Short mmCIF file of all heavy atoms in Angstrom, two decimals:
data_model
loop_
_atom_site.label_atom_id
_atom_site.label_comp_id
_atom_site.label_asym_id
_atom_site.label_seq_id
_atom_site.Cartn_x
_atom_site.Cartn_y
_atom_site.Cartn_z
N ASP A 34 -225.81 -98.26 119.18
CA ASP A 34 -225.44 -96.98 118.62
C ASP A 34 -224.48 -97.10 117.45
O ASP A 34 -223.52 -96.35 117.33
CB ASP A 34 -224.79 -96.11 119.70
CG ASP A 34 -225.73 -95.83 120.84
OD1 ASP A 34 -226.94 -95.69 120.57
OD2 ASP A 34 -225.27 -95.74 121.99
N VAL A 35 -224.73 -98.03 116.55
CA VAL A 35 -223.83 -98.25 115.43
C VAL A 35 -223.76 -97.03 114.53
O VAL A 35 -222.68 -96.60 114.15
CB VAL A 35 -224.27 -99.49 114.62
CG1 VAL A 35 -223.41 -99.67 113.39
CG2 VAL A 35 -224.22 -100.73 115.47
N GLU A 36 -224.92 -96.47 114.23
CA GLU A 36 -224.92 -95.30 113.34
C GLU A 36 -224.13 -94.16 113.93
O GLU A 36 -223.36 -93.50 113.23
CB GLU A 36 -226.36 -94.84 113.08
CG GLU A 36 -227.02 -95.55 111.94
CD GLU A 36 -228.36 -94.94 111.61
OE1 GLU A 36 -228.47 -93.70 111.56
OE2 GLU A 36 -229.29 -95.70 111.40
N ASP A 37 -224.29 -93.93 115.22
CA ASP A 37 -223.57 -92.85 115.89
C ASP A 37 -222.06 -93.10 115.86
O ASP A 37 -221.28 -92.19 115.57
CB ASP A 37 -224.05 -92.71 117.33
CG ASP A 37 -223.43 -91.52 118.04
OD1 ASP A 37 -223.39 -90.43 117.42
OD2 ASP A 37 -222.98 -91.68 119.20
N SER A 38 -221.65 -94.31 116.13
CA SER A 38 -220.23 -94.64 116.12
C SER A 38 -219.63 -94.51 114.73
O SER A 38 -218.52 -93.99 114.56
CB SER A 38 -220.00 -96.06 116.65
OG SER A 38 -220.36 -96.13 118.00
N ILE A 39 -220.36 -94.96 113.74
CA ILE A 39 -219.87 -94.85 112.37
C ILE A 39 -219.81 -93.38 111.94
O ILE A 39 -218.87 -92.96 111.27
CB ILE A 39 -220.73 -95.69 111.40
CG1 ILE A 39 -220.51 -97.17 111.72
CG2 ILE A 39 -220.41 -95.38 109.95
CD1 ILE A 39 -221.37 -98.12 110.94
N ALA A 40 -220.78 -92.59 112.36
CA ALA A 40 -220.76 -91.16 112.05
C ALA A 40 -219.54 -90.49 112.70
O ALA A 40 -218.89 -89.65 112.09
CB ALA A 40 -222.05 -90.50 112.53
N LYS A 41 -219.24 -90.89 113.94
CA LYS A 41 -218.06 -90.32 114.61
C LYS A 41 -216.77 -90.73 113.90
O LYS A 41 -215.85 -89.93 113.77
CB LYS A 41 -218.02 -90.76 116.07
CG LYS A 41 -219.03 -90.04 116.92
CD LYS A 41 -218.95 -90.48 118.36
CE LYS A 41 -220.00 -89.76 119.19
NZ LYS A 41 -220.00 -90.20 120.59
N ALA A 42 -216.72 -91.97 113.42
CA ALA A 42 -215.55 -92.43 112.68
C ALA A 42 -215.40 -91.64 111.39
O ALA A 42 -214.30 -91.23 111.01
CB ALA A 42 -215.65 -93.92 112.39
N SER A 43 -216.52 -91.40 110.74
CA SER A 43 -216.50 -90.62 109.52
C SER A 43 -216.04 -89.19 109.79
O SER A 43 -215.25 -88.62 109.02
CB SER A 43 -217.89 -90.61 108.90
OG SER A 43 -217.92 -89.79 107.76
N GLU A 44 -216.51 -88.60 110.88
CA GLU A 44 -216.09 -87.25 111.25
C GLU A 44 -214.59 -87.22 111.56
O GLU A 44 -213.89 -86.28 111.18
CB GLU A 44 -216.88 -86.76 112.46
CG GLU A 44 -218.33 -86.45 112.15
CD GLU A 44 -219.14 -86.17 113.40
OE1 GLU A 44 -218.56 -85.99 114.49
OE2 GLU A 44 -220.37 -86.14 113.29
N ALA A 45 -214.10 -88.24 112.26
CA ALA A 45 -212.68 -88.31 112.58
C ALA A 45 -211.84 -88.40 111.30
O ALA A 45 -210.80 -87.74 111.18
CB ALA A 45 -212.38 -89.49 113.49
N LEU A 46 -212.31 -89.18 110.35
CA LEU A 46 -211.60 -89.30 109.07
C LEU A 46 -211.63 -87.98 108.31
O LEU A 46 -210.63 -87.57 107.73
CB LEU A 46 -212.23 -90.42 108.24
CG LEU A 46 -211.54 -90.77 106.94
CD1 LEU A 46 -210.10 -91.16 107.18
CD2 LEU A 46 -212.28 -91.89 106.24
N ASN A 47 -212.77 -87.31 108.35
CA ASN A 47 -212.90 -86.01 107.70
C ASN A 47 -211.95 -84.99 108.33
O ASN A 47 -211.26 -84.25 107.63
CB ASN A 47 -214.35 -85.53 107.81
CG ASN A 47 -214.62 -84.33 106.93
OD1 ASN A 47 -213.89 -84.06 106.00
ND2 ASN A 47 -215.67 -83.61 107.24
N ARG A 48 -211.88 -84.97 109.67
CA ARG A 48 -210.96 -84.06 110.36
C ARG A 48 -209.52 -84.38 109.99
O ARG A 48 -208.70 -83.47 109.77
CB ARG A 48 -211.14 -84.17 111.88
CG ARG A 48 -212.34 -83.43 112.41
CD ARG A 48 -212.31 -83.32 113.92
NE ARG A 48 -212.14 -84.60 114.61
CZ ARG A 48 -213.13 -85.43 114.94
NH1 ARG A 48 -214.38 -85.10 114.66
NH2 ARG A 48 -212.88 -86.55 115.56
N ALA A 49 -209.22 -85.66 109.90
CA ALA A 49 -207.86 -86.07 109.54
C ALA A 49 -207.50 -85.60 108.14
O ALA A 49 -206.39 -85.10 107.90
CB ALA A 49 -207.73 -87.58 109.63
N ALA A 50 -208.42 -85.73 107.22
CA ALA A 50 -208.16 -85.30 105.85
C ALA A 50 -207.94 -83.79 105.79
O ALA A 50 -207.04 -83.32 105.11
CB ALA A 50 -209.34 -85.70 104.95
N HIS A 51 -208.77 -83.05 106.53
CA HIS A 51 -208.60 -81.59 106.54
C HIS A 51 -207.29 -81.19 107.22
O HIS A 51 -206.60 -80.28 106.75
CB HIS A 51 -209.78 -80.92 107.24
CG HIS A 51 -211.02 -80.89 106.41
ND1 HIS A 51 -211.17 -80.04 105.34
CD2 HIS A 51 -212.16 -81.61 106.46
CE1 HIS A 51 -212.34 -80.23 104.77
NE2 HIS A 51 -212.97 -81.18 105.44
N ALA A 52 -206.95 -81.87 108.29
CA ALA A 52 -205.69 -81.56 108.99
C ALA A 52 -204.50 -81.84 108.07
O ALA A 52 -203.55 -81.06 108.02
CB ALA A 52 -205.58 -82.37 110.27
N LEU A 53 -204.56 -82.94 107.35
CA LEU A 53 -203.48 -83.29 106.43
C LEU A 53 -203.38 -82.27 105.30
O LEU A 53 -202.28 -81.83 104.95
CB LEU A 53 -203.71 -84.69 105.86
CG LEU A 53 -202.64 -85.22 104.93
CD1 LEU A 53 -201.29 -85.28 105.63
CD2 LEU A 53 -203.03 -86.59 104.42
N ALA A 54 -204.53 -81.85 104.76
CA ALA A 54 -204.52 -80.85 103.69
C ALA A 54 -203.97 -79.51 104.21
O ALA A 54 -203.18 -78.87 103.52
CB ALA A 54 -205.93 -80.66 103.14
N ASP A 55 -204.38 -79.12 105.40
CA ASP A 55 -203.87 -77.87 105.98
C ASP A 55 -202.38 -77.94 106.22
O ASP A 55 -201.64 -77.00 105.91
CB ASP A 55 -204.59 -77.55 107.31
CG ASP A 55 -206.05 -77.18 107.10
OD1 ASP A 55 -206.44 -76.87 105.95
OD2 ASP A 55 -206.81 -77.21 108.09
N GLU A 56 -201.93 -79.06 106.77
CA GLU A 56 -200.49 -79.24 107.04
C GLU A 56 -199.69 -79.20 105.74
O GLU A 56 -198.66 -78.55 105.65
CB GLU A 56 -200.27 -80.56 107.77
CG GLU A 56 -198.84 -80.85 108.10
CD GLU A 56 -198.31 -80.01 109.24
OE1 GLU A 56 -199.12 -79.53 110.06
OE2 GLU A 56 -197.08 -79.82 109.31
N ALA A 57 -200.20 -79.89 104.73
CA ALA A 57 -199.50 -79.92 103.44
C ALA A 57 -199.45 -78.52 102.83
O ALA A 57 -198.41 -78.11 102.29
CB ALA A 57 -200.20 -80.89 102.49
N ARG A 58 -200.55 -77.77 102.94
CA ARG A 58 -200.57 -76.41 102.39
C ARG A 58 -199.56 -75.52 103.12
O ARG A 58 -198.77 -74.82 102.49
CB ARG A 58 -201.97 -75.81 102.51
CG ARG A 58 -202.08 -74.42 101.87
CD ARG A 58 -203.34 -73.70 102.22
NE ARG A 58 -203.35 -73.42 103.64
CZ ARG A 58 -204.32 -73.79 104.48
NH1 ARG A 58 -205.35 -74.44 104.05
NH2 ARG A 58 -204.24 -73.50 105.77
N ASP A 59 -199.59 -75.58 104.45
CA ASP A 59 -198.67 -74.75 105.23
C ASP A 59 -197.22 -75.10 104.93
O ASP A 59 -196.38 -74.21 104.78
CB ASP A 59 -198.95 -74.91 106.72
CG ASP A 59 -200.31 -74.37 107.12
OD1 ASP A 59 -200.90 -73.60 106.33
OD2 ASP A 59 -200.78 -74.72 108.22
N ARG A 60 -196.92 -76.38 104.87
CA ARG A 60 -195.54 -76.80 104.60
C ARG A 60 -195.12 -76.46 103.19
O ARG A 60 -193.97 -76.09 102.94
CB ARG A 60 -195.38 -78.31 104.84
CG ARG A 60 -195.62 -78.74 106.25
CD ARG A 60 -194.58 -78.17 107.16
NE ARG A 60 -194.83 -78.57 108.53
CZ ARG A 60 -193.91 -78.73 109.43
NH1 ARG A 60 -192.65 -78.52 109.13
NH2 ARG A 60 -194.24 -79.06 110.65
N SER A 61 -196.04 -76.57 102.23
CA SER A 61 -195.66 -76.28 100.85
C SER A 61 -195.37 -74.80 100.65
O SER A 61 -194.49 -74.45 99.88
CB SER A 61 -196.74 -76.76 99.88
OG SER A 61 -197.93 -76.00 100.04
N VAL A 62 -196.09 -73.94 101.38
CA VAL A 62 -195.81 -72.50 101.28
C VAL A 62 -194.39 -72.22 101.72
O VAL A 62 -193.64 -71.50 101.04
CB VAL A 62 -196.84 -71.69 102.11
CG1 VAL A 62 -196.40 -70.25 102.27
CG2 VAL A 62 -198.21 -71.75 101.45
N SER A 63 -194.00 -72.77 102.86
CA SER A 63 -192.64 -72.52 103.34
C SER A 63 -191.60 -73.18 102.44
O SER A 63 -190.51 -72.63 102.23
CB SER A 63 -192.47 -73.00 104.79
OG SER A 63 -192.64 -74.39 104.88
N LEU A 64 -191.91 -74.33 101.89
CA LEU A 64 -190.99 -75.01 100.98
C LEU A 64 -190.81 -74.22 99.68
O LEU A 64 -189.69 -74.09 99.19
CB LEU A 64 -191.49 -76.42 100.69
CG LEU A 64 -190.56 -77.33 99.91
CD1 LEU A 64 -189.24 -77.50 100.64
CD2 LEU A 64 -191.21 -78.68 99.69
N VAL A 65 -191.90 -73.68 99.16
CA VAL A 65 -191.81 -72.87 97.95
C VAL A 65 -190.96 -71.62 98.21
O VAL A 65 -190.13 -71.25 97.38
CB VAL A 65 -193.22 -72.48 97.44
CG1 VAL A 65 -193.15 -71.38 96.40
CG2 VAL A 65 -193.92 -73.70 96.86
N GLN A 66 -191.17 -70.99 99.35
CA GLN A 66 -190.38 -69.81 99.69
C GLN A 66 -188.89 -70.15 99.81
O GLN A 66 -188.04 -69.44 99.30
CB GLN A 66 -190.88 -69.18 100.99
CG GLN A 66 -190.19 -67.88 101.34
CD GLN A 66 -190.38 -66.81 100.28
OE1 GLN A 66 -191.47 -66.60 99.78
NE2 GLN A 66 -189.30 -66.13 99.93
N ALA A 67 -188.60 -71.26 100.47
CA ALA A 67 -187.21 -71.68 100.62
C ALA A 67 -186.59 -72.00 99.25
O ALA A 67 -185.42 -71.66 98.99
CB ALA A 67 -187.12 -72.90 101.53
N THR A 68 -187.36 -72.63 98.38
CA THR A 68 -186.87 -72.95 97.04
C THR A 68 -186.60 -71.68 96.24
O THR A 68 -185.57 -71.57 95.56
CB THR A 68 -187.90 -73.82 96.29
OG1 THR A 68 -188.14 -75.01 97.06
CG2 THR A 68 -187.41 -74.21 94.91
N ALA A 69 -187.50 -70.71 96.34
CA ALA A 69 -187.31 -69.43 95.64
C ALA A 69 -186.06 -68.72 96.16
O ALA A 69 -185.28 -68.18 95.36
CB ALA A 69 -188.54 -68.56 95.80
N ASP A 70 -185.88 -68.72 97.46
CA ASP A 70 -184.69 -68.09 98.04
C ASP A 70 -183.41 -68.77 97.55
O ASP A 70 -182.43 -68.11 97.21
CB ASP A 70 -184.75 -68.12 99.57
CG ASP A 70 -185.84 -67.23 100.13
OD1 ASP A 70 -186.35 -66.36 99.38
OD2 ASP A 70 -186.19 -67.42 101.32
N GLU A 71 -183.44 -70.09 97.53
CA GLU A 71 -182.27 -70.85 97.07
C GLU A 71 -181.99 -70.57 95.60
O GLU A 71 -180.84 -70.43 95.19
CB GLU A 71 -182.52 -72.35 97.30
CG GLU A 71 -181.28 -73.19 97.18
CD GLU A 71 -180.24 -72.93 98.25
OE1 GLU A 71 -180.60 -72.48 99.36
OE2 GLU A 71 -179.06 -73.17 97.97
N ALA A 72 -183.04 -70.48 94.79
CA ALA A 72 -182.87 -70.19 93.37
C ALA A 72 -182.26 -68.80 93.16
O ALA A 72 -181.43 -68.60 92.26
CB ALA A 72 -184.20 -70.30 92.64
N LYS A 73 -182.66 -67.84 94.00
CA LYS A 73 -182.10 -66.49 93.89
C LYS A 73 -180.62 -66.47 94.27
O LYS A 73 -179.83 -65.72 93.70
CB LYS A 73 -182.88 -65.53 94.79
CG LYS A 73 -184.25 -65.19 94.25
CD LYS A 73 -184.99 -64.29 95.22
CE LYS A 73 -186.42 -64.09 94.76
NZ LYS A 73 -187.21 -63.31 95.73
N ARG A 74 -180.25 -67.31 95.24
CA ARG A 74 -178.85 -67.35 95.68
C ARG A 74 -177.94 -68.06 94.68
O ARG A 74 -176.75 -67.78 94.60
CB ARG A 74 -178.74 -68.01 97.05
CG ARG A 74 -179.06 -67.05 98.18
CD ARG A 74 -178.87 -67.73 99.48
NE ARG A 74 -180.14 -68.40 99.72
CZ ARG A 74 -180.47 -69.04 100.81
NH1 ARG A 74 -179.61 -69.18 101.77
NH2 ARG A 74 -181.66 -69.58 100.95
N HIS A 75 -178.51 -69.04 93.95
CA HIS A 75 -177.70 -69.85 93.03
C HIS A 75 -178.40 -69.93 91.67
O HIS A 75 -178.86 -71.00 91.26
CB HIS A 75 -177.50 -71.25 93.59
CG HIS A 75 -176.93 -71.28 94.97
ND1 HIS A 75 -175.62 -70.97 95.24
CD2 HIS A 75 -177.50 -71.55 96.16
CE1 HIS A 75 -175.40 -71.07 96.53
NE2 HIS A 75 -176.53 -71.41 97.12
N PRO A 76 -178.44 -68.82 90.92
CA PRO A 76 -179.19 -68.82 89.65
C PRO A 76 -178.60 -69.75 88.58
O PRO A 76 -179.36 -70.36 87.83
CB PRO A 76 -179.14 -67.35 89.20
CG PRO A 76 -178.00 -66.75 89.94
CD PRO A 76 -177.86 -67.53 91.21
N VAL A 77 -177.29 -69.88 88.52
CA VAL A 77 -176.67 -70.74 87.49
C VAL A 77 -177.01 -72.21 87.76
O VAL A 77 -177.39 -72.95 86.85
CB VAL A 77 -175.14 -70.52 87.44
CG1 VAL A 77 -174.49 -71.49 86.47
CG2 VAL A 77 -174.84 -69.08 87.04
N ALA A 78 -176.89 -72.62 89.01
CA ALA A 78 -177.22 -74.00 89.35
C ALA A 78 -178.70 -74.28 89.12
O ALA A 78 -179.08 -75.37 88.66
CB ALA A 78 -176.85 -74.28 90.81
N THR A 79 -179.54 -73.29 89.41
CA THR A 79 -180.98 -73.45 89.19
C THR A 79 -181.27 -73.62 87.71
O THR A 79 -182.06 -74.49 87.31
CB THR A 79 -181.74 -72.24 89.76
OG1 THR A 79 -181.45 -72.12 91.15
CG2 THR A 79 -183.23 -72.39 89.56
N ALA A 80 -180.65 -72.80 86.88
CA ALA A 80 -180.86 -72.89 85.43
C ALA A 80 -180.39 -74.25 84.91
O ALA A 80 -181.07 -74.87 84.07
CB ALA A 80 -180.12 -71.77 84.72
N ALA A 81 -179.27 -74.73 85.42
CA ALA A 81 -178.76 -76.04 85.00
C ALA A 81 -179.72 -77.15 85.42
O ALA A 81 -179.98 -78.09 84.65
CB ALA A 81 -177.38 -76.28 85.60
N ALA A 82 -180.26 -77.05 86.62
CA ALA A 82 -181.21 -78.07 87.10
C ALA A 82 -182.48 -78.06 86.26
O ALA A 82 -183.02 -79.12 85.92
CB ALA A 82 -181.54 -77.82 88.57
N ILE A 83 -182.96 -76.88 85.91
CA ILE A 83 -184.17 -76.78 85.08
C ILE A 83 -183.90 -77.35 83.70
O ILE A 83 -184.74 -78.09 83.15
CB ILE A 83 -184.65 -75.31 85.01
CG1 ILE A 83 -185.18 -74.87 86.37
CG2 ILE A 83 -185.70 -75.13 83.92
CD1 ILE A 83 -185.48 -73.40 86.49
N ALA A 84 -182.76 -77.04 83.12
CA ALA A 84 -182.42 -77.58 81.80
C ALA A 84 -182.32 -79.10 81.83
O ALA A 84 -182.81 -79.78 80.92
CB ALA A 84 -181.11 -76.96 81.32
N THR A 85 -181.71 -79.63 82.88
CA THR A 85 -181.60 -81.09 83.02
C THR A 85 -182.97 -81.74 83.15
O THR A 85 -183.25 -82.76 82.51
CB THR A 85 -180.73 -81.44 84.24
OG1 THR A 85 -179.45 -80.81 84.08
CG2 THR A 85 -180.56 -82.93 84.40
N ALA A 86 -183.83 -81.13 83.96
CA ALA A 86 -185.18 -81.67 84.13
C ALA A 86 -185.97 -81.62 82.83
O ALA A 86 -186.69 -82.56 82.48
CB ALA A 86 -185.91 -80.90 85.22
N ALA A 87 -185.82 -80.52 82.09
CA ALA A 87 -186.52 -80.39 80.80
C ALA A 87 -186.03 -81.45 79.82
O ALA A 87 -186.83 -82.07 79.11
CB ALA A 87 -186.31 -78.98 80.24
N ALA A 88 -184.72 -81.67 79.78
CA ALA A 88 -184.17 -82.69 78.88
C ALA A 88 -184.68 -84.08 79.26
O ALA A 88 -185.03 -84.89 78.39
CB ALA A 88 -182.65 -82.65 78.92
N ALA A 89 -184.74 -84.34 80.55
CA ALA A 89 -185.25 -85.64 81.00
C ALA A 89 -186.72 -85.80 80.62
O ALA A 89 -187.14 -86.89 80.19
CB ALA A 89 -185.08 -85.76 82.51
N LEU A 90 -187.50 -84.74 80.76
CA LEU A 90 -188.92 -84.80 80.41
C LEU A 90 -189.10 -85.03 78.91
O LEU A 90 -189.93 -85.86 78.51
CB LEU A 90 -189.61 -83.50 80.83
CG LEU A 90 -191.11 -83.43 80.63
CD1 LEU A 90 -191.80 -84.55 81.41
CD2 LEU A 90 -191.64 -82.08 81.08
N VAL A 91 -188.32 -84.35 78.09
CA VAL A 91 -188.38 -84.56 76.65
C VAL A 91 -188.01 -86.01 76.33
O VAL A 91 -188.65 -86.67 75.51
CB VAL A 91 -187.46 -83.57 75.91
CG1 VAL A 91 -187.29 -83.96 74.44
CG2 VAL A 91 -188.02 -82.16 76.02
N GLY A 92 -186.99 -86.52 76.99
CA GLY A 92 -186.59 -87.92 76.78
C GLY A 92 -187.70 -88.89 77.14
O GLY A 92 -187.94 -89.87 76.42
#
Side-chain angles (χ1 to χ4, degrees):
D34 299 325
V35 175
E36 274 188 44
D37 185 45
S38 294
I39 292 175
K41 285 181 181 177
S43 176
E44 289 171 12
L46 186 57
N47 191 20
R48 282 192 307 273
H51 285 286
L53 182 59
D55 291 344
E56 180 74 23
R58 184 192 65 235
D59 294 344
R60 297 295 179 150
S61 67
V62 167
S63 64
L64 188 59
V65 166
Q66 185 60 45
T68 303
D70 292 344
E71 194 66 26
K73 286 177 187 175
R74 279 183 274 186
H75 306 288
V77 175
T79 302
I83 291 171
T85 303
L90 184 59
V91 168

